[in-house]
Amino acid sequence: MVSTRFLIVLSVALAVGLTFGCAGGGSQEGGGSGAAVSHADHEVAPGELDDYYGFFSGGHSGEVRVLGIPSMRVLKRIPVWNIDPGSGWGITNESRALLGGMQTGDTHHVHGSYEDGTYDGKWLFVNDKLNNRMARIRVDLMEVDAVVNVPHAQGAHGLFPQRYPSTEWVVLNSEFRTPLSNDGRGDMLDASTYGGVHTIINAADMEIVAQVTTPVNLDLAATDYQGKYSFATSYNSEGGATISEMLASDRDYLVVFNWEAIKEALANNNYRIVDDIKILDGTEGTGLTAYIPIPKNPHGVNISPDGNYAVACGKVSPTVSIIDINKLDDLFAGNIEPRDAVVGEPEVGLGPLHTTFDGRGNAYTSLFIDSQEVKWNIQKAIDLYSNPVEGETAVVDRLDIHYQVGHTMASMAETKEADGKYLISLNKISKDRFLNVGPLKPENDQLIDISNDEMILLKDEPAYIEPHDCIIVRRDLIEPHVVHRAVLEEHPLAVTQSSVERVGNKVTARITASAPVYGLQEVVVNQGDEVTFIVTNTDEIPDLAHGFAISNYNVSFVVGPFQTKSVTITADKPGMYWIYCTNFCHALHLEMRMRFVVNPRST
Amino acid sequence: MWSGDTLAQDVERGKAVYDSRCVICHGDQGDGKGLIGIVHRAQQNGMVVTIYPRDFTAGVYKFRSTPSGDLPTDDDLMRIVTEGISRSGMPSHTDISEADRQAVIAYIKTFSKRWAEEEPGTPLVIEAAPAAVGSGESSGRGKDVYATMQCSKCHGDTGKGDGPSSADLEDSWGDKILPFDFTSGPLKGGSTPEMVYRTFMTGLDGTPMPSYQDALPEEQARWDLVSYCLELMAGAPGDTDQ
């Protein structure tokens, strides 16, 4: 007995030692306590609310997640390119109409709508890299309300809304070069005919304004703070179709799109129309674009909160390239050469992917290969570029993360109001950080305090596949816009009075849901009827959702307060089927049921 | 409406319907204290319900076509049983036969002596809404009527149901009751102009909502008030207050 207890104590001690050992090694340069302890200042106690909303893309889970920051509590999962029986997304008529039959997708980037360089709390936009679409999420409901399909694009990846004066346009890059009209004509294996498109989408009506074609691929996207330029990194300037071909050159591009020139070309009808889309030629020399050579297979491009610099990460090069946005007018005027716009190119470490900012002149770059966050000073990097000093570096601090960071984002960092409080490291690999749950492990989103000179790791948060990117938005910019219940009449079919109506073999059952009863106790139809159920939650309690599930008919959805959802089925199975409320709503929730009776087809 | 013999049969049949569909809220004594009525009063934390099932023993009804203080007509009762009351928990009963609905009405009347002692009131005649209803001009005048009639005391300056008296209102049974928030959408008594007009005229008996039949005799002022209330309802933004 004694020896067993001793062993347990020893193993616990070892485990604790190991934990602190890992975290203690956090800083290789510039000190940094790196202690993996929770700091009381950042605790969000039970019943308390977070200071920030975090909007996370969910990668190939197809969803968007809403977290509270700094607690890292997951507050909501917004289904986008998936089927979610929890809410009925992908099951209801309304959501199916938006999804158009494609219920898989890949959300990489979620960004908010802007007014004057900060979030206006109106919309979120999210891409679908898989099926080449963009969805708009209403912030008031935190649900998708519109989808636009993007033709001529594959790998619809980098997405960014206009930041100034407000979000009229959203740009979306196609990462994969393809034939423009990809209809099977021509030699489809001839990659020299492929190109990328920079798609401009009108945020309000969710229609495509135009597409600017480039011979190169277009990866991450950004917009400036003046409404003049948008940006795309390109890692395949070679026009290659294989990985070897794509990595041949030591420099690829930061592509700059000139909005004034684009608007002028549109006004002058200087475009062709392909598949009903206005196509603008964005090859070099057209005046619509500038191609700034930067090393090598670059990935992220992010704009400093003062609007002065675009920072592009070298990925295969250990450098980041700093482009002075104020020099772009001169570049487009032909007064300077493309490389003259590069004002800094510091070495930061291996595998730099994305950069974010604290609003105090520092940048934070994620290093995939080094598994680190590196903090560096922008002005110092610029100074050292024009005037190198032996032994000096712009790097201020480094923090080991766990492990293989992709995107990284600081609080409010994609606005002019970057506040330098928190940094999130969205790590692809969690390895030994959590209990083993089998071969498919969670990823690890780490919360880091950046309010001091040194970065301090605060928290590990396991995350299901695959939080790709995020934005961290001050609570006061979002919370006042979010409603507790929908506007009942907004849905044209909202039910305030339950009824059943038959026209030929089409039956419409309009049903209210108010705990613990549905507005009807039974609906009787004939086998073969096409039956539409329209359900409105008329409950007055602003936190009470009702489910509507039809046994054996593969129908399940949930209706929030004052919302209406519908579903249409063919009553192909005769019999009596209970319809029941799936979402616990009342002390008598289990009794909230009604009968769906399908009379057999007479023989 | 029905002869003596049929009535007795109806009451018996009505009890069966009542026990199948109604008793869980309205209770076997018809006093609104069925299990759900009890649960809703007891639940004072989290899911707080503020609308309770009707007590049939008092013979007092909110939604009628008859003047304030009068019993409703059979047609009134049939309408409510058939259509239900939106936003109240009272479901529709179009899924049972009209005979069953008639029977349950006969049974409901057995809970109050009033039905033996009084005749239902005469329905108020409500003409079709004048064309001006819903116009900005009518609504503008209606806003003044809203102020003069002191609607804002309960319903608030912006119609959100948050007037100075709103916190301490009780119904005739001593239950707390909230004034209607016009910005939240449809009315329980119906949202067509004629239905809103009817509610102004009949009042909602058993609640602090009085009849304005005498207080507001001018026909145009009544319709102007309807216009203003419809404007408040149409503007309905989502509700950000819990």
Side-chain angles (χ1 to χ4, degrees), chain A residues 25 104 111 116 127 129 145 160 170 179 209 297 325 402 430 436 469 558 570 579:
Chain A
T104 59
H111 287 288
D116 190 18
N127 72 312
K129 181 171 169 175
D145 81 327
F160 219 99
V170 182
V209 176
N297 287 54
I325 293 172
H402 314 86
S430 64
N436 190 2
D469 190 10
V558 163
T570 301
I579 291 171

Side-chain angles (χ1 to χ4, degrees), chain A residues 348-477:
Chain A
V348 292
L350 297 181
L353 290 185
H354 300 277
T355 297
T356 188
F357 307 94
D358 64 9
R360 297 188 295 269
N362 300 305
Y364 300 76
T365 298
S366 58
L367 301 174
F368 183 86
I369 297 170
D370 278 339
S371 279
Q372 280 184 342
E373 291 278 352
V374 55
K375 174 181 177 180
W376 53 277
N377 185 275
I378 300 169
Q379 191 56 52
K380 182 125 193 219
I382 293 169
D383 294 345
L384 287 171
Y385 186 66
S386 55
N387 191 15
V389 179
E390 185 68 29
E392 284 213 22
T393 169
V395 172
V396 178
D397 190 28
R398 288 179 191 277
L399 181 72
D400 281 353
I401 52 78
H402 314 86
Y403 305 88
Q404 260 74 46
V405 55
H407 273 272
T408 189
M409 187 62 74
S411 42
M412 293 294 291
E414 289 297 340
T415 75
K416 66 177 186 182
E417 298 176 327
D419 62 14
K421 287 194 179 160
Y422 295 108
L423 176 73
I424 306 234
S425 179
L426 292 97
N427 308 319
K428 305 294 185 191
I429 305 285
S430 64
K431 200 164 79 171
D432 50 9
R433 300 293 280 192
F434 304 111
L435 288 175
N436 190 2
V437 290
L440 198 58
K441 293 179 173 48
E443 303 187 8
N444 187 13
D445 295 343
Q446 289 184 303
L447 180 73
I448 295 157
D449 176 3
I450 54 165
S451 56
N452 307 291
D453 290 342
E454 295 164 1
M455 293 178 275
I456 301 168
L457 177 62
L458 296 175
K459 195 172 279 194
D460 280 22
E461 189 67 23
Y464 184 66
I465 293 167
E466 180 202 33
H468 206 93
D469 190 10
C470 69
I471 55 172
I472 307 170
V473 185
R474 258 187 5 248
R475 173 183 170 182
D476 64 280
L477 294 174

